[in-house]
Amino acid sequence: MADRLSMQDPRKQYPQPPFPRQPQPVPGIAAKMDPEPDHGETSYKGSGKLTGRKALITGGDSGIGRAAAIAFAREGADVAISYLEAEKQDAAEVLKLIEAEGRKAVDLPGDITSESWCKTLVEQAVAQLGGLDILVINAGRQQNREDISKVTSEDFDKTMKTNLYAMHWIAQAAVPHLPAGASVITTASIQAYDPSAILLDYATTKAGIVAYTKALAKQLIEKGIRANVVAPGPFWTALQSSGGQPEEKVMEFGKQSAFGRPGQPVEIAPVYVLLASQEGSYISGEVFGVTGGAGVA
Ligand code: NAD
Ligand code: MG
């Protein structure tokens, strides 16, 4: 494969469907994906944009969160990652990559559907990093259900807890620690704007994340803190193969996009870096779509 940053047709830069059938239980493990996603392990090059910053990333073990974690460390930040115990294998790789940059890696496994854990998570991140400058709220639950009758109260509750309540609990605990110049970044989805029939509960939370972040941005700018939303389209992550989409759709994942392929996590990392860094000094309350051509309204 050509160097990631050399000029080339982006449609052909990464694997295109069809992909092998590959169902996994929740939470999905990135190491089990075929083809393996590019989170920037060998392809992301930093240039000191986040020197000395302290970042907490939820869902930093895999997928989009892992790509942000690697990029932040390469840009000079110390990084704490939150994830589920079952994802230790993925997390260990990320922690190693952060340390390989000479940065501090903070390991914070735990279930964010617990309010008390969310508070402890933030306290631990602040204590072990020695402060907090960048908060990336990225962890998410996505389980497709073909019909409204199949979305149980348990499903609905878990999706709300993971995607909305945890966002509030973590942001609420973090805000008192954030200095002027800090940045909060949430991860919504194109689903907030163009919801799939099979993602009723998930799409609802993603629209909620957009509204919450825009409201929070209005409060935080009073303290010199920015807050923004990233809204991805189809990205090649274990969220999709662990029930986010039906198995058959995973095999064709990204085919519907104008690129004819899914995005790789490293292809969205630069947006997190921009929003986290002082390069984004006039950017707040915005939604950044990275959708493979579909656009966000
Ligand atoms: P991913 O599975 O790699 O990451 C999601 C992470 O969420 C998991 O690694 C896990 O650590 C964390 N998580 C889930 N439930 C948790 C819980 N109860 N406690 C603690 N951590 C928990 O998949 P991803 O695609 O990188 O997802 C990251 C974000 O991107 C999610 O918010 C997702 O909704 C969003 N997103 C993804 C896509 C896509 O196509 N992959 C598209 C739009 C939005
Ligand atoms: Mg994971």
PDB file of all heavy atoms in Angstrom, residues 219-237:
ATOM      1  N   GLN A 219     -22.283  26.716  27.183  1.00  0.00           N
ATOM      2  CA  GLN A 219     -21.861  26.932  28.571  1.00  0.00           C
ATOM      3  C   GLN A 219     -20.342  27.048  28.656  1.00  0.00           C
ATOM      4  O   GLN A 219     -19.810  27.923  29.321  1.00  0.00           O
ATOM      5  CB  GLN A 219     -22.261  25.741  29.449  1.00  0.00           C
ATOM      6  CG  GLN A 219     -23.723  25.649  29.762  1.00  0.00           C
ATOM      7  CD  GLN A 219     -23.986  24.603  30.851  1.00  0.00           C
ATOM      8  OE1 GLN A 219     -23.124  24.284  31.669  1.00  0.00           O
ATOM      9  NE2 GLN A 219     -25.198  24.067  30.862  1.00  0.00           N
ATOM     10  N   LEU A 220     -19.660  26.117  27.993  1.00  0.00           N
ATOM     11  CA  LEU A 220     -18.220  25.995  28.212  1.00  0.00           C
ATOM     12  C   LEU A 220     -17.413  27.141  27.622  1.00  0.00           C
ATOM     13  O   LEU A 220     -16.343  27.467  28.136  1.00  0.00           O
ATOM     14  CB  LEU A 220     -17.716  24.652  27.666  1.00  0.00           C
ATOM     15  CG  LEU A 220     -18.220  23.410  28.396  1.00  0.00           C
ATOM     16  CD1 LEU A 220     -17.535  22.158  27.844  1.00  0.00           C
ATOM     17  CD2 LEU A 220     -17.987  23.504  29.909  1.00  0.00           C
ATOM     18  N   ILE A 221     -17.917  27.753  26.542  1.00  0.00           N
ATOM     19  CA  ILE A 221     -17.109  28.823  25.946  1.00  0.00           C
ATOM     20  C   ILE A 221     -16.980  29.999  26.927  1.00  0.00           C
ATOM     21  O   ILE A 221     -16.017  30.767  26.862  1.00  0.00           O
ATOM     22  CB  ILE A 221     -17.641  29.251  24.553  1.00  0.00           C
ATOM     23  CG1 ILE A 221     -16.557  29.980  23.762  1.00  0.00           C
ATOM     24  CG2 ILE A 221     -18.905  30.074  24.672  1.00  0.00           C
ATOM     25  CD1 ILE A 221     -15.292  29.207  23.480  1.00  0.00           C
ATOM     26  N   GLU A 222     -17.913  30.073  27.863  1.00  0.00           N
ATOM     27  CA  GLU A 222     -17.822  31.105  28.924  1.00  0.00           C
ATOM     28  C   GLU A 222     -16.571  30.903  29.780  1.00  0.00           C
ATOM     29  O   GLU A 222     -16.167  31.799  30.504  1.00  0.00           O
ATOM     30  CB  GLU A 222     -19.059  31.045  29.839  1.00  0.00           C
ATOM     31  CG  GLU A 222     -20.397  31.219  29.120  1.00  0.00           C
ATOM     32  CD  GLU A 222     -20.633  32.650  28.668  1.00  0.00           C
ATOM     33  OE1 GLU A 222     -20.179  33.568  29.366  1.00  0.00           O
ATOM     34  OE2 GLU A 222     -21.237  32.837  27.591  1.00  0.00           O
ATOM     35  N   LYS A 223     -16.035  29.683  29.761  1.00  0.00           N
ATOM     36  CA  LYS A 223     -14.802  29.402  30.504  1.00  0.00           C
ATOM     37  C   LYS A 223     -13.608  29.240  29.565  1.00  0.00           C
ATOM     38  O   LYS A 223     -12.551  28.753  29.978  1.00  0.00           O
ATOM     39  CB  LYS A 223     -14.948  28.083  31.284  1.00  0.00           C
ATOM     40  CG  LYS A 223     -16.103  27.992  32.255  1.00  0.00           C
ATOM     41  CD  LYS A 223     -16.201  26.534  32.741  1.00  0.00           C
ATOM     42  CE  LYS A 223     -17.502  26.237  33.420  1.00  0.00           C
ATOM     43  NZ  LYS A 223     -17.453  25.945  34.802  1.00  0.00           N
ATOM     44  N   GLY A 224     -13.805  29.527  28.293  1.00  0.00           N
ATOM     45  CA  GLY A 224     -12.703  29.385  27.338  1.00  0.00           C
ATOM     46  C   GLY A 224     -12.456  27.941  26.918  1.00  0.00           C
ATOM     47  O   GLY A 224     -11.364  27.585  26.484  1.00  0.00           O
ATOM     48  N   ILE A 225     -13.504  27.117  27.070  1.00  0.00           N
ATOM     49  CA  ILE A 225     -13.391  25.696  26.688  1.00  0.00           C
ATOM     50  C   ILE A 225     -14.275  25.462  25.466  1.00  0.00           C
ATOM     51  O   ILE A 225     -15.403  25.949  25.412  1.00  0.00           O
ATOM     52  CB  ILE A 225     -13.864  24.794  27.856  1.00  0.00           C
ATOM     53  CG1 ILE A 225     -13.000  25.044  29.101  1.00  0.00           C
ATOM     54  CG2 ILE A 225     -13.862  23.321  27.449  1.00  0.00           C
ATOM     55  CD1 ILE A 225     -13.615  24.509  30.389  1.00  0.00           C
ATOM     56  N   ARG A 226     -13.752  24.708  24.505  1.00  0.00           N
ATOM     57  CA  ARG A 226     -14.522  24.420  23.297  1.00  0.00           C
ATOM     58  C   ARG A 226     -15.140  23.023  23.364  1.00  0.00           C
ATOM     59  O   ARG A 226     -14.592  22.137  24.034  1.00  0.00           O
ATOM     60  CB  ARG A 226     -13.621  24.524  22.061  1.00  0.00           C
ATOM     61  CG  ARG A 226     -13.057  25.917  21.843  1.00  0.00           C
ATOM     62  CD  ARG A 226     -12.072  25.991  20.687  1.00  0.00           C
ATOM     63  NE  ARG A 226     -10.883  25.201  20.915  1.00  0.00           N
ATOM     64  CZ  ARG A 226     -10.644  24.026  20.372  1.00  0.00           C
ATOM     65  NH1 ARG A 226     -11.509  23.488  19.516  1.00  0.00           N
ATOM     66  NH2 ARG A 226      -9.546  23.363  20.651  1.00  0.00           N
ATOM     67  N   ALA A 227     -16.265  22.828  22.695  1.00  0.00           N
ATOM     68  CA  ALA A 227     -16.888  21.497  22.610  1.00  0.00           C
ATOM     69  C   ALA A 227     -17.434  21.302  21.207  1.00  0.00           C
ATOM     70  O   ALA A 227     -18.065  22.211  20.644  1.00  0.00           O
ATOM     71  CB  ALA A 227     -18.007  21.353  23.630  1.00  0.00           C
ATOM     72  N   ASN A 228     -17.171  20.143  20.632  1.00  0.00           N
ATOM     73  CA  ASN A 228     -17.601  19.847  19.269  1.00  0.00           C
ATOM     74  C   ASN A 228     -18.007  18.383  19.116  1.00  0.00           C
ATOM     75  O   ASN A 228     -17.674  17.547  19.962  1.00  0.00           O
ATOM     76  CB  ASN A 228     -16.460  20.146  18.284  1.00  0.00           C
ATOM     77  CG  ASN A 228     -16.171  21.631  18.171  1.00  0.00           C
ATOM     78  OD1 ASN A 228     -16.900  22.375  17.542  1.00  0.00           O
ATOM     79  ND2 ASN A 228     -15.098  22.072  18.828  1.00  0.00           N
ATOM     80  N   VAL A 229     -18.693  18.128  18.030  1.00  0.00           N
ATOM     81  CA  VAL A 229     -19.175  16.784  17.716  1.00  0.00           C
ATOM     82  C   VAL A 229     -18.502  16.272  16.443  1.00  0.00           C
ATOM     83  O   VAL A 229     -18.403  17.024  15.471  1.00  0.00           O
ATOM     84  CB  VAL A 229     -20.696  16.786  17.419  1.00  0.00           C
ATOM     85  CG1 VAL A 229     -21.233  15.371  17.273  1.00  0.00           C
ATOM     86  CG2 VAL A 229     -21.470  17.577  18.449  1.00  0.00           C
ATOM     87  N   VAL A 230     -18.084  15.014  16.441  1.00  0.00           N
ATOM     88  CA  VAL A 230     -17.679  14.365  15.200  1.00  0.00           C
ATOM     89  C   VAL A 230     -18.803  13.397  14.824  1.00  0.00           C
ATOM     90  O   VAL A 230     -19.300  12.654  15.676  1.00  0.00           O
ATOM     91  CB  VAL A 230     -16.349  13.596  15.354  1.00  0.00           C
ATOM     92  CG1 VAL A 230     -15.943  12.945  14.034  1.00  0.00           C
ATOM     93  CG2 VAL A 230     -15.240  14.540  15.834  1.00  0.00           C
ATOM     94  N   ALA A 231     -19.208  13.444  13.570  1.00  0.00           N
ATOM     95  CA  ALA A 231     -20.299  12.581  13.109  1.00  0.00           C
ATOM     96  C   ALA A 231     -19.787  11.664  11.994  1.00  0.00           C
ATOM     97  O   ALA A 231     -19.767  12.048  10.818  1.00  0.00           O
ATOM     98  CB  ALA A 231     -21.466  13.422  12.611  1.00  0.00           C
ATOM     99  N   PRO A 232     -19.345  10.459  12.364  1.00  0.00           N
ATOM    100  CA  PRO A 232     -18.817   9.549  11.343  1.00  0.00           C
ATOM    101  C   PRO A 232     -19.914   8.910  10.487  1.00  0.00           C
ATOM    102  O   PRO A 232     -21.042   8.718  10.950  1.00  0.00           O
ATOM    103  CB  PRO A 232     -18.108   8.449  12.158  1.00  0.00           C
ATOM    104  CG  PRO A 232     -18.045   8.965  13.574  1.00  0.00           C
ATOM    105  CD  PRO A 232     -19.193   9.903  13.719  1.00  0.00           C
ATOM    106  N   GLY A 233     -19.541   8.555   9.272  1.00  0.00           N
ATOM    107  CA  GLY A 233     -20.340   7.646   8.451  1.00  0.00           C
ATOM    108  C   GLY A 233     -19.840   6.238   8.715  1.00  0.00           C
ATOM    109  O   GLY A 233     -19.438   5.928   9.840  1.00  0.00           O
ATOM    110  N   PRO A 234     -19.828   5.361   7.698  1.00  0.00           N
ATOM    111  CA  PRO A 234     -19.415   3.969   7.931  1.00  0.00           C
ATOM    112  C   PRO A 234     -17.913   3.814   8.142  1.00  0.00           C
ATOM    113  O   PRO A 234     -17.133   4.103   7.239  1.00  0.00           O
ATOM    114  CB  PRO A 234     -19.849   3.255   6.642  1.00  0.00           C
ATOM    115  CG  PRO A 234     -19.851   4.331   5.603  1.00  0.00           C
ATOM    116  CD  PRO A 234     -20.254   5.597   6.302  1.00  0.00           C
ATOM    117  N   PHE A 235     -17.516   3.392   9.337  1.00  0.00           N
ATOM    118  CA  PHE A 235     -16.096   3.125   9.633  1.00  0.00           C
ATOM    119  C   PHE A 235     -15.912   1.659   9.983  1.00  0.00           C
ATOM    120  O   PHE A 235     -16.770   1.056  10.643  1.00  0.00           O
ATOM    121  CB  PHE A 235     -15.581   4.054  10.748  1.00  0.00           C
ATOM    122  CG  PHE A 235     -15.129   5.373  10.188  1.00  0.00           C
ATOM    123  CD1 PHE A 235     -16.069   6.345   9.855  1.00  0.00           C
ATOM    124  CD2 PHE A 235     -13.793   5.598   9.919  1.00  0.00           C
ATOM    125  CE1 PHE A 235     -15.668   7.535   9.267  1.00  0.00           C
ATOM    126  CE2 PHE A 235     -13.376   6.793   9.333  1.00  0.00           C
ATOM    127  CZ  PHE A 235     -14.319   7.766   9.010  1.00  0.00           C
ATOM    128  N   TRP A 236     -14.807   1.120   9.542  1.00  0.00           N
ATOM    129  CA  TRP A 236     -14.513  -0.309   9.691  1.00  0.00           C
ATOM    130  C   TRP A 236     -14.046  -0.580  11.122  1.00  0.00           C
ATOM    131  O   TRP A 236     -12.858  -0.489  11.423  1.00  0.00           O
ATOM    132  CB  TRP A 236     -13.474  -0.726   8.656  1.00  0.00           C
ATOM    133  CG  TRP A 236     -13.199  -2.193   8.589  1.00  0.00           C
ATOM    134  CD1 TRP A 236     -12.006  -2.814   8.837  1.00  0.00           C
ATOM    135  CD2 TRP A 236     -14.125  -3.227   8.238  1.00  0.00           C
ATOM    136  NE1 TRP A 236     -12.153  -4.169   8.667  1.00  0.00           N
ATOM    137  CE2 TRP A 236     -13.435  -4.456   8.306  1.00  0.00           C
ATOM    138  CE3 TRP A 236     -15.489  -3.244   7.893  1.00  0.00           C
ATOM    139  CZ2 TRP A 236     -14.050  -5.679   8.031  1.00  0.00           C
ATOM    140  CZ3 TRP A 236     -16.095  -4.448   7.620  1.00  0.00           C
ATOM    141  CH2 TRP A 236     -15.379  -5.653   7.693  1.00  0.00           C
ATOM    142  N   THR A 237     -15.012  -0.883  11.992  1.00  0.00           N
ATOM    143  CA  THR A 237     -14.712  -1.153  13.407  1.00  0.00           C
ATOM    144  C   THR A 237     -15.541  -2.338  13.891  1.00  0.00           C
ATOM    145  O   THR A 237     -16.548  -2.714  13.278  1.00  0.00           O
ATOM    146  CB  THR A 237     -15.045   0.053  14.309  1.00  0.00           C
ATOM    147  OG1 THR A 237     -16.476   0.135  14.460  1.00  0.00           O
ATOM    148  CG2 THR A 237     -14.516   1.372  13.754  1.00  0.00           C
TER     149      THR A 237
END
